Amino acid sequence: MSLLSDLVNLNLSDSTKQIIAEYIWIGGSGMDIRSKARTLPGPVSDPSKLPKWNYDGSSTGQASGDNSEVILYPQAIFRDPFRRGDNILVMCDAYTPAGDPIPTNKRHKAAKIFSHPNVAKEVPWYGIEQEYTLMQKGVNWPIGWPIGGFPGPQGPYYCGVGAGKAIGRDIVDAHYKACLYAGIGISGVNGEVMPGQWEFQVGPVEGISSGDQVWVARYLLERITEISGVNVSFDPKPVPGDWNGAGAHCNYSTKTMRNDGGLAVIKKAIEKLQVKHKEHIAAYGEGNERRLTGKHETADINTFSWGVANRGASVRVGRDTEKEGKGYFEDRRPASNMDPYVVTSMIAETTILG
C-alpha cells in the first residue's frame, strides 16, 4: 500500500511539464456530479484557453444512445488539492454539438441573468450555507448513529466538541482545507443541530462564481467522503421525525443594499420575493416540503414570512443590518440539494429585474 500511496502522491513536475485537468460537470439528475481527467501539455490558468471535450450523454441521462455526444465547455479553473502541483479542476457546463445548452445546463441561463447590465452594476454577492449529512456506507443512516436506533436528542451537537458530539470532524476539516487550497471562497464550517450533520459556507462571492464554487466544493466533499468510506447526503430531510433537516440558506446583497439607505432596498426586495414565493419554492430543491414544516428553524412551505433575527421565517434580516440601515438578508428557503446556479440567479432576477 505504501507504493500505491507514493504513486498517488507523485510530484509530476519533477519529470514532465504536462499537467492533469479534471473536467467536472453535472449529470442528468441535477445533483450527480461527474468528472474525468485528461492530459494537457502545460499549465493553464484561463478557462478560455482550455480545449472543449465531450462525453457519452446516454450514460448520464442527458442524451439518447443514437445521438449521445455532449460537449463540455470549460468555465472555471481551480487548483487540484488531490494531485496538487500545476494540476487543475475544471468546472464545465454542457452543450449539444450544435452549441445549444442541454436542458440540464442551468449555468447558461444563470450567466445570461448575471451578465444583464442592470444586474452587473448591482454587483450581487452571495454567501451559501451548505448543510449536508454524513451517512454510513451501505446504510441510509447517519454516521455515529446505532443501526436502526437513535442518538440522544438534539441539543449538544450544534457546534459541539467531543467524540459523542462532533461526528466526522476529520472529513470536515479535510474538506475545509481542500477548498482553501483549491481557491474556493469558503468562509467557515460548523457542526449542525442533528448529529452527523455539518455545514460549510461559501462566500461572499459575486454572481455566477458563487454557483461554480459551491458545485466544486460539493465535488471535493464527494471525493473526500469517497476516500473516507462514507457517503454524503444532500437530502433536505434525511431522517424523519424530530430532527432538523438540511438547507442551503442563501445570504444576498446588492451594491445599493450595502450602501447607506440599503435597508429600504432590502425591504423592497423582500416584497418582490413574497410575490413570487411559489415560483421560488418550486425551484429551491426536491423534497423541500419534508423540511419546510414550520418546525426545526423553518417557515411553513406555503406561507411567506420575514423578520429580524427570526430563524423561523422564510427570510431573515440580521440585527446588524437593521442597526446599520444597510447590509444583506438571508433567504432560508432553499433546500440542501438546490442548484446554486438556479437559486442565485433567480434571486437576482426577482429582486433586480422583477
Side-chain angles (χ1 to χ4, degrees):
M1 290 299 291
S2 61
L3 177 58
L4 178 60
S5 179
D6 287 345
L7 288 170
V8 168
N9 295 310
L10 195 63
N11 185 353
L12 296 178
S13 63
D14 292 340
S15 58
T16 180
K17 293 181 179 179
Q18 293 176 306
I19 69 158
I20 301 172
E22 189 79 25
Y23 279 43
I24 303 166
W25 72 97
I26 303 158
S29 74
M31 272 303 292
D32 57 316
I33 303 172
R34 310 284 179 132
S35 76
K36 61 177 183 172
R38 68 182 298 167
T39 305
L40 298 176
V44 182
S45 58
D46 181 352
S48 68
K49 304 296 184 183
L50 288 167
K52 295 174 184 175
W53 206 5
N54 65 76
Y55 66 93
D56 172 15
S58 69
S59 296
T60 63
Q62 294 170 298
S64 59
D66 61 348
N67 188 21
S68 64
E69 193 166 285
V70 180
I71 312 301
L72 292 172
Y73 286 33
Q75 299 292 356
I77 292 175
F78 299 86
R79 292 185 295 273
D80 186 340
F82 303 108
R83 298 186 177 109
R84 306 183 190 179
D86 289 325
N87 303 300
I88 55 175
L89 306 175
V90 184
M91 189 65 208
C92 305
D93 58 354
Y95 295 79
T96 68
D100 299 316
I102 65 172
T104 53
N105 181 351
K106 307 302 182 185
R107 191 188 191 280
H108 179 78
K109 180 182 177 182
K112 289 178 70 174
I113 292 170
F114 284 121
S115 64
H116 190 288
N118 291 348
V119 175
K121 73 178 182 181
E122 280 290 349
V123 195
W125 289 357
Y126 298 90
I128 307 295
E129 303 173 31
Q130 176 68 71
E131 295 178 342
Y132 60 93
T133 309
L134 297 173
M135 310 293 276
Q136 300 175 50
K137 190 175 181 179
V139 184
N140 191 30
W141 209 237
I143 64 170
W145 291 39
I147 301 298
F150 299 89
Q154 296 182 154
Y157 310 108
Y158 172 70
C159 297
V161 177
K165 305 182 187 77
I167 306 166
R169 190 188 294 277
D170 53 344
I171 293 171
V172 174
D173 200 45
H175 176 250
Y176 196 171
K177 292 177 179 178
C179 285
L180 287 171
Y181 181 94
I184 292 168
I186 187 170
S187 50
V189 300
N190 61 267
E192 268 303 331
V193 178
M194 189 181 82
Q197 188 181 85
W198 294 82
E199 171 185 303
F200 64 88
Q201 303 96 33
V202 174
V205 179
E206 182 183 344
I208 196 70
S209 293
S210 177
D212 290 337
Q213 293 193 25
V214 170
W215 273 116
V216 175
R218 286 175 173 176
Y219 168 82
L220 293 176
L221 184 58
E222 292 275 11
R223 286 286 306 276
I224 290 166
T225 53
E226 171 190 321
I227 294 166
S228 303
V230 304
N231 292 329
V232 58
S233 171
F234 294 103
D235 189 284
K237 188 72 172 179
V239 181
D242 195 20
W243 303 96
N244 273 38
H249 304 156
C250 182
N251 299 277
Y252 169 69
S253 70
T254 63
K255 187 175 181 180
T256 51
M257 291 177 190
R258 296 187 293 268
N259 290 337
D260 290 342
L263 184 58
V265 180
I266 288 172
K267 289 180 179 179
K268 288 180 181 178
I270 293 172
E271 289 174 3
K272 292 180 179 180
L273 289 174
Q274 182 172 9
V275 171
K276 293 198 171 183
H277 177 63
K278 289 184 178 179
E279 292 91 333
H280 279 255
I281 287 295
Y284 274 14
E286 296 293 326
N288 214 8
E289 72 282 351
R290 293 182 282 116
R291 167 181 163 260
L292 296 180
T293 62
K295 300 177 181 179
H296 305 111
E297 299 181 286
T298 70
D300 181 82
I301 194 169
N302 297 309
T303 306
F304 183 91
S305 60
W306 76 276
V308 176
N310 184 358
R311 283 179 164 76
S314 308
V315 171
R316 179 183 68 88
V317 174
R319 290 287 183 198
D320 287 345
T321 295
E322 181 190 44
K323 181 179 178 181
E324 296 177 12
K326 59 184 177 181
Y328 69 98
F329 66 83
E330 174 192 42
D331 190 339
R332 298 179 58 81
R333 297 171 295 172
S336 51
N337 60 4
M338 64 81 171
D339 188 323
Y341 293 134
V342 173
V343 169
T344 56
S345 62
M346 194 174 193
I347 290 174
E349 185 176 37
T350 295
T351 60
I352 299 172
L353 302 178

Tab-separated table of all heavy atoms in Angstrom, residues 89-112:
chain	number	residue	atom	x	y	z
A	89	LEU	N	-8.624	21.492	-11.457
A	89	LEU	CA	-10.022	21.089	-11.562
A	89	LEU	C	-10.708	22.102	-12.468
A	89	LEU	O	-10.467	23.310	-12.342
A	89	LEU	CB	-10.698	21.081	-10.194
A	89	LEU	CG	-10.039	20.256	-9.091
A	89	LEU	CD1	-10.775	20.473	-7.757
A	89	LEU	CD2	-10.007	18.779	-9.450
A	90	VAL	N	-11.564	21.621	-13.355
A	90	VAL	CA	-12.208	22.499	-14.326
A	90	VAL	C	-13.719	22.330	-14.243
A	90	VAL	O	-14.250	21.261	-14.551
A	90	VAL	CB	-11.739	22.184	-15.765
A	90	VAL	CG1	-12.349	23.166	-16.755
A	90	VAL	CG2	-10.217	22.202	-15.854
A	91	MET	N	-14.420	23.371	-13.803
A	91	MET	CA	-15.882	23.325	-13.778
A	91	MET	C	-16.405	23.639	-15.176
A	91	MET	O	-16.036	24.660	-15.773
A	91	MET	CB	-16.441	24.324	-12.755
A	91	MET	CG	-17.933	24.177	-12.513
A	91	MET	SD	-18.355	22.590	-11.767
A	91	MET	CE	-20.033	22.355	-12.369
A	92	CYS	N	-17.252	22.743	-15.681
A	92	CYS	CA	-17.756	22.872	-17.052
A	92	CYS	C	-19.278	22.927	-17.062
A	92	CYS	O	-19.940	22.529	-16.100
A	92	CYS	CB	-17.317	21.669	-17.892
A	92	CYS	SG	-15.544	21.354	-17.916
A	93	ASP	N	-19.836	23.419	-18.177
A	93	ASP	CA	-21.257	23.195	-18.438
A	93	ASP	C	-21.381	22.486	-19.782
A	93	ASP	O	-20.403	22.332	-20.516
A	93	ASP	CB	-22.100	24.466	-18.332
A	93	ASP	CG	-21.673	25.577	-19.268
A	93	ASP	OD1	-20.643	25.440	-19.944
A	93	ASP	OD2	-22.386	26.597	-19.324
A	94	ALA	N	-22.589	22.025	-20.108
A	94	ALA	CA	-22.753	21.052	-21.181
A	94	ALA	C	-23.654	21.564	-22.301
A	94	ALA	O	-24.687	22.196	-22.056
A	94	ALA	CB	-23.319	19.755	-20.602
A	95	TYR	N	-23.255	21.239	-23.562
A	95	TYR	CA	-23.942	21.722	-24.753
A	95	TYR	C	-24.074	20.595	-25.781
A	95	TYR	O	-23.328	19.611	-25.756
A	95	TYR	CB	-23.151	22.877	-25.376
A	95	TYR	CG	-23.079	24.103	-24.496
A	95	TYR	CD1	-22.178	24.151	-23.431
A	95	TYR	CD2	-23.911	25.192	-24.712
A	95	TYR	CE1	-22.114	25.264	-22.607
A	95	TYR	CE2	-23.844	26.311	-23.892
A	95	TYR	CZ	-22.961	26.341	-22.837
A	95	TYR	OH	-22.907	27.443	-22.024
A	96	THR	N	-25.017	20.772	-26.694
A	96	THR	CA	-25.125	19.870	-27.835
A	96	THR	C	-23.985	20.171	-28.805
A	96	THR	O	-23.363	21.248	-28.736
A	96	THR	CB	-26.460	20.071	-28.565
A	96	THR	OG1	-26.456	21.368	-29.192
A	96	THR	CG2	-27.651	19.967	-27.612
A	97	PRO	N	-23.709	19.259	-29.757
A	97	PRO	CA	-22.676	19.555	-30.763
A	97	PRO	C	-22.980	20.809	-31.582
A	97	PRO	O	-22.061	21.436	-32.114
A	97	PRO	CB	-22.693	18.299	-31.641
A	97	PRO	CG	-23.143	17.213	-30.716
A	97	PRO	CD	-24.170	17.858	-29.823
A	98	ALA	N	-24.261	21.204	-31.647
A	98	ALA	CA	-24.633	22.421	-32.377
A	98	ALA	C	-24.403	23.688	-31.571
A	98	ALA	O	-24.577	24.799	-32.077
A	98	ALA	CB	-26.092	22.333	-32.808
A	99	GLY	N	-24.036	23.516	-30.290
A	99	GLY	CA	-23.738	24.677	-29.454
A	99	GLY	C	-24.891	25.164	-28.597
A	99	GLY	O	-24.796	26.240	-27.984
A	100	ASP	N	-25.963	24.385	-28.504
A	100	ASP	CA	-27.101	24.764	-27.658
A	100	ASP	C	-26.942	24.142	-26.276
A	100	ASP	O	-26.537	22.973	-26.160
A	100	ASP	CB	-28.417	24.274	-28.277
A	100	ASP	CG	-28.667	24.885	-29.638
A	100	ASP	OD1	-28.457	26.111	-29.784
A	100	ASP	OD2	-29.050	24.134	-30.567
A	101	PRO	N	-27.265	24.889	-25.212
A	101	PRO	CA	-27.181	24.302	-23.875
A	101	PRO	C	-28.177	23.145	-23.743
A	101	PRO	O	-29.318	23.254	-24.196
A	101	PRO	CB	-27.541	25.470	-22.948
A	101	PRO	CG	-28.321	26.420	-23.798
A	101	PRO	CD	-27.763	26.292	-25.179
A	102	ILE	N	-27.745	22.038	-23.151
A	102	ILE	CA	-28.670	20.929	-22.945
A	102	ILE	C	-29.646	21.309	-21.824
A	102	ILE	O	-29.371	22.224	-21.036
A	102	ILE	CB	-27.924	19.618	-22.630
A	102	ILE	CG1	-27.176	19.716	-21.288
A	102	ILE	CG2	-26.971	19.261	-23.757
A	102	ILE	CD1	-26.578	18.392	-20.834
A	103	PRO	N	-30.795	20.649	-21.730
A	103	PRO	CA	-31.824	21.061	-20.753
A	103	PRO	C	-31.345	21.120	-19.305
A	103	PRO	O	-31.828	21.952	-18.529
A	103	PRO	CB	-32.912	19.991	-20.932
A	103	PRO	CG	-32.774	19.557	-22.349
A	103	PRO	CD	-31.293	19.583	-22.632
A	104	THR	N	-30.403	20.263	-18.926
A	104	THR	CA	-29.932	20.264	-17.533
A	104	THR	C	-28.825	21.285	-17.284
A	104	THR	O	-28.312	21.376	-16.165
A	104	THR	CB	-29.427	18.863	-17.142
A	104	THR	OG1	-28.453	18.425	-18.097
A	104	THR	CG2	-30.578	17.867	-17.079
A	105	ASN	N	-28.444	22.045	-18.290
A	105	ASN	CA	-27.422	23.083	-18.125
A	105	ASN	C	-28.081	24.339	-17.549
A	105	ASN	O	-28.602	25.180	-18.274
A	105	ASN	CB	-26.761	23.396	-19.472
A	105	ASN	CG	-25.674	24.466	-19.359
A	105	ASN	OD1	-25.504	25.098	-18.318
A	105	ASN	ND2	-24.948	24.669	-20.447
A	106	LYS	N	-28.043	24.456	-16.234
A	106	LYS	CA	-28.646	25.611	-15.553
A	106	LYS	C	-27.692	26.804	-15.495
A	106	LYS	O	-28.114	27.932	-15.256
A	106	LYS	CB	-29.073	25.223	-14.137
A	106	LYS	CG	-29.969	23.991	-14.066
A	106	LYS	CD	-31.243	24.162	-14.884
A	106	LYS	CE	-32.149	22.940	-14.764
A	106	LYS	NZ	-33.341	23.041	-15.643
A	107	ARG	N	-26.418	26.549	-15.714
A	107	ARG	CA	-25.429	27.637	-15.666
A	107	ARG	C	-25.625	28.629	-16.799
A	107	ARG	O	-25.436	29.838	-16.610
A	107	ARG	CB	-24.005	27.062	-15.727
A	107	ARG	CG	-22.931	28.105	-15.424
A	107	ARG	CD	-21.527	27.558	-15.674
A	107	ARG	NE	-20.505	28.454	-15.151
A	107	ARG	CZ	-20.070	29.554	-15.747
A	107	ARG	NH1	-20.561	29.912	-16.936
A	107	ARG	NH2	-19.136	30.310	-15.191
A	108	HIS	N	-26.000	28.141	-17.967
A	108	HIS	CA	-26.118	29.003	-19.143
A	108	HIS	C	-27.128	30.128	-18.901
A	108	HIS	O	-26.831	31.310	-19.146
A	108	HIS	CB	-26.528	28.166	-20.352
A	108	HIS	CG	-26.700	28.965	-21.612
A	108	HIS	ND1	-25.640	29.397	-22.371
A	108	HIS	CD2	-27.820	29.424	-22.234
A	108	HIS	CE1	-26.083	30.080	-23.406
A	108	HIS	NE2	-27.396	30.111	-23.363
A	109	LYS	N	-28.314	29.778	-18.410
A	109	LYS	CA	-29.337	30.795	-18.141
A	109	LYS	C	-28.878	31.728	-17.025
A	109	LYS	O	-29.086	32.949	-17.087
A	109	LYS	CB	-30.665	30.143	-17.779
A	109	LYS	CG	-31.768	31.158	-17.491
A	109	LYS	CD	-33.081	30.504	-17.081
A	109	LYS	CE	-34.127	31.570	-16.734
A	109	LYS	NZ	-35.411	30.959	-16.290
A	110	ALA	N	-28.259	31.154	-15.990
A	110	ALA	CA	-27.787	31.975	-14.878
A	110	ALA	C	-26.765	33.007	-15.354
A	110	ALA	O	-26.800	34.178	-14.957
A	110	ALA	CB	-27.178	31.091	-13.792
A	111	ALA	N	-25.856	32.593	-16.236
A	111	ALA	CA	-24.828	33.501	-16.752
A	111	ALA	C	-25.454	34.648	-17.536
A	111	ALA	O	-24.975	35.797	-17.479
A	111	ALA	CB	-23.835	32.736	-17.614
A	112	LYS	N	-26.523	34.361	-18.259
A	112	LYS	CA	-27.217	35.418	-19.007
A	112	LYS	C	-27.840	36.441	-18.055
A	112	LYS	O	-27.785	37.652	-18.304
A	112	LYS	CB	-28.297	34.800	-19.896
A	112	LYS	CG	-27.749	34.025	-21.092
A	112	LYS	CD	-28.852	33.397	-21.929
A	112	LYS	CE	-29.656	34.464	-22.676
A	112	LYS	NZ	-30.648	33.841	-23.598
